[in-house]
Amino acid sequence: MYSSGMHPSGTHPSGTHSSGLWQPLRRRDYAISARPWRAALYLLTSVPLGAATLLTLVLLAVAGSALAVVLVGLPLLLVLVLSGIPLASLERRRLRLVDSTPLTDPHREPPGTGLAAWLRTRLQERSTWRELGYALLFATVLWPLEALAVGAMLLVCGGLMATPAVMAAGGDGEAKVLKLWIADSYPEAFAVLAAGVLLLPVLAYPLGALAAGRAVLTRQLLSVPESGADSRLQELDRSRMRLVDAFEAERRRIERDLHDGAQQRLVALSMTLGLARLEGPAEPLDGLLAKAQGEADVALVEIRELIRGIHPQVLTDRGLPSAVEDIADRSPIPVDVRLDVPGRLLEAVESGVYFAVSEALANVAKHSGATRASVRGGVVSGRLVVEVEDDGQGGARLAADGGEAGAVDGGTGSGTGTVGGARVGTGLQGVADRLSVLGGSLLLSSPPGGPTVFRLEVPCPPARSRT
């Protein structure tokens, strides 16, 4: 079975990555690099953050428990359960001080909008409960240990380097060094200061080791481990994307064969028939030649439309915004297009979104009774979100739920609907299937009287290469 050695998020497997956190400690220039300072900052910032986390958890637990009898405390207890989410988000950012590989957010997007959908999704996720456990561990164990370790290192080095200043401030010509012995002369005091300066790079190594161990623990606790089923699902996702790429390559090959083969032969046939008519044949033969040339021209138009349906050239040459504008220009109703897409995307993503928008605008033109439509969209949190809205009569429904708004995610639902009792959108099942292969989803909102909004979301990693 194929394995890329990388997780879909782009991070290395935990074992390989954890070993990489210790490698800088083996470098000769570690003590004079910026890494010890970043490690110290990472550990020092744990102290105020951990203290604030402890105070927040205690207040929420006490207030929520005390007020639970009058139901006022239940929201506070809910906030307590979810308190690990913002802390984990901050910890993933703070981890970048010592770990250059980002720790991705394991939370998934809610299937719908609104607070209820968000809460339902978060409470069902294993990541939420792992983050709550991390918050409890961080507030009660981790930050006090880090404060003790960093404080001890700072106390030793700072106490040694401050000896001359303490001696000068005391005025009696002596100073206690770490409360272990007394320095009674300035040469001795400056020798102690020099020892403290020399000790700094020595202590940089245990400080870096502590920060690396803390980073490994954070990464292990805040990333959801893959079970056997999860690993198989990840491999299925990778296999699915490989099949999508293979399908796109085969479709492009068919397009080239039609364009360079069958279309050129039809052009040559039409020209040959035209030349034959110029020879001035007898009337019956001239009529047959004219009819044959007409049929060849019709076949040429049809094959050109077929090629455009397989993969439009404007999509290949100029990208998704220009291709959607081309659809809008050919629409029988006016369509406003506002697509903000940064650069080129994967060919499968561009193709899937293009045909989804094309199907949506076709439904608008055939069934909505709209006088105007709009296509707007952009990239939000790593997902391409596109909405097609019209000012028609509304009332479109997906047979998946029979309600005023239906969702098709992962290929569920029939993808058909009605407007005013008429069937519409029989191609929506194909759109939903195509988006689900890309990990996307589509949503239809169409209250009676309008407006109708066709919304699709697709993950949009940047294009690695384009051929």
Side-chain angles (χ1 to χ4, degrees):
M1 182 175 291
Y2 171 80
S3 177
S4 65
M6 296 283 287
H7 289 287
S9 61
T11 59
H12 295 272
S14 58
T16 304
H17 181 74
S18 298
S19 62
L21 287 172
W22 304 97
Q23 290 179 358
L25 294 170
R26 304 188 186 104
R27 298 177 57 178
R28 295 180 179 180
D29 61 343
Y30 175 78
I32 59 175
S33 67
R35 289 186 175 272
W37 299 102
R38 294 171 69 92
L41 181 61
Y42 177 64
L43 295 173
L44 282 173
T45 52
S46 288
V47 178
L49 181 59
T53 301
L54 176 62
L55 179 61
T56 301
L57 293 179
V58 170
L59 289 177
L60 288 173
V62 172
S65 301
L67 298 175
V69 293
V70 291
L71 302 181
V72 179
L74 296 181
L76 296 178
L77 294 177
L78 180 60
V79 173
L80 174 64
V81 171
L82 300 173
S83 60
I85 296 177
L87 174 64
S89 177
L90 181 58
E91 284 292 275
R92 293 184 185 96
R93 290 177 172 83
R94 205 167 62 88
L95 190 64
R96 298 297 295 274
L97 288 171
V98 293
D99 188 357
S100 59
T101 303
L103 181 60
T104 56
D105 190 344
H107 295 289
R108 65 179 186 271
E109 290 291 329
T113 58
L115 180 60
W118 185 86
L119 286 174
R120 188 163 49 249
T121 301
R122 293 294 172 262
L123 292 176
Q124 293 174 352
E125 290 179 323
R126 184 170 46 169
S127 302
T128 301
W129 301 99
R130 289 177 64 90
E131 290 168 354
L132 176 60
Y134 175 82
L136 294 174
L137 181 65
F138 180 44
T140 57
V141 177
L142 294 181
W143 79 265
L145 293 178
E146 294 170 33
L148 181 63
V150 177
M153 293 181 184
L154 293 178
L155 181 62
V156 171
C157 293
L160 294 176
M161 290 188 293
T163 300
V166 172
M167 182 177 291
D172 53 1
E174 62 181 25
K176 289 184 178 181
V177 181
L178 301 178
K179 296 184 179 182
L180 297 178
W181 77 88
I182 296 178
D184 54 6
S185 65
Y186 275 100
E188 184 179 0
F190 280 103
V192 173
L193 183 149
V197 173
L198 294 175
L199 190 60
L200 272 178
V202 176
L203 293 180
Y205 287 92
L207 188 72
L210 179 61
R214 176 71 166 80
V216 170
L217 179 62
T218 299
R219 183 171 285 275
Q220 291 292 333
L221 293 178
L222 294 185
S223 58
V224 179
E226 291 185 1
S227 62
D230 291 335
S231 300
R232 288 192 294 272
L233 287 176
Q234 298 289 356
E235 179 59 29
L236 285 175
D237 285 339
R238 288 191 286 268
S239 300
R240 182 176 64 178
M241 290 309 298
R242 290 195 295 271
L243 289 174
V244 169
D245 293 338
F247 171 74
E248 287 295 324
E250 181 65 15
R251 195 168 56 143
R252 296 290 299 278
R253 184 191 66 79
I254 294 173
E255 175 202 359
R256 287 193 300 268
D257 290 346
L258 287 174
H259 183 274
D260 300 335
Q263 180 177 246
Q264 300 305 319
R265 290 181 181 275
L266 283 174
V267 170
L269 174 61
S270 180
M271 293 178 62
T272 302
L273 291 172
L275 291 174
R277 292 182 63 192
L278 293 177
E279 295 295 331
E283 182 62 29
L285 182 59
D286 181 68
L288 291 175
L289 289 174
K291 184 177 179 181
Q293 187 178 21
E295 292 293 337
D297 291 340
V298 171
L300 186 59
V301 170
E302 290 180 352
I303 201 169
R304 284 173 178 167
E305 290 296 325
L306 178 61
I307 293 172
R308 175 181 290 180
I310 291 176
H311 194 88
Q313 191 63 34
V314 65
L315 182 62
T316 302
D317 295 340
R318 301 177 59 187
L320 183 62
S322 297
V324 171
E325 289 177 358
D326 181 63
I327 301 174
D329 291 340
R330 291 185 282 110
S331 174
I333 64 172
V335 180
D336 300 320
V337 179
R338 296 192 303 275
L339 274 182
D340 183 15
V341 179
R344 299 302 298 269
L345 305 176
L346 293 178
E347 292 182 0
V349 172
E350 288 187 342
S351 179
V353 173
Y354 171 85
F355 286 106
V357 172
S358 178
E359 178 67 25
L361 289 179
N363 281 341
V364 170
K366 293 177 183 177
H367 306 289
S368 69
T371 59
R372 197 165 196 87
S374 66
V375 180
R376 59 182 182 271
V379 177
V380 180
S381 300
R383 296 175 70 85
L384 177 61
V385 180
V386 178
E387 291 185 350
V388 180
E389 182 175 351
D390 66 72
D391 60 358
Q393 59 187 345
R397 305 187 192 280
L398 290 176
D401 61 358
E404 294 179 359
V408 179
D409 189 356
T412 60
S414 70
T416 61
T418 61
V419 172
R423 292 176 60 83
V424 301
T426 54
L428 289 183
Q429 178 62 55
V431 170
D433 291 342
R434 191 165 191 154
L435 295 179
S436 69
V437 169
L438 301 171
S441 61
L442 79 88
L443 176 72
L444 177 65
S445 174
S446 183
T452 297
V453 179
F454 176 94
R455 175 188 174 96
L456 61 93
E457 296 185 14
V458 183
C460 58
R464 296 181 296 273
S465 63
R466 302 190 67 88
T467 57

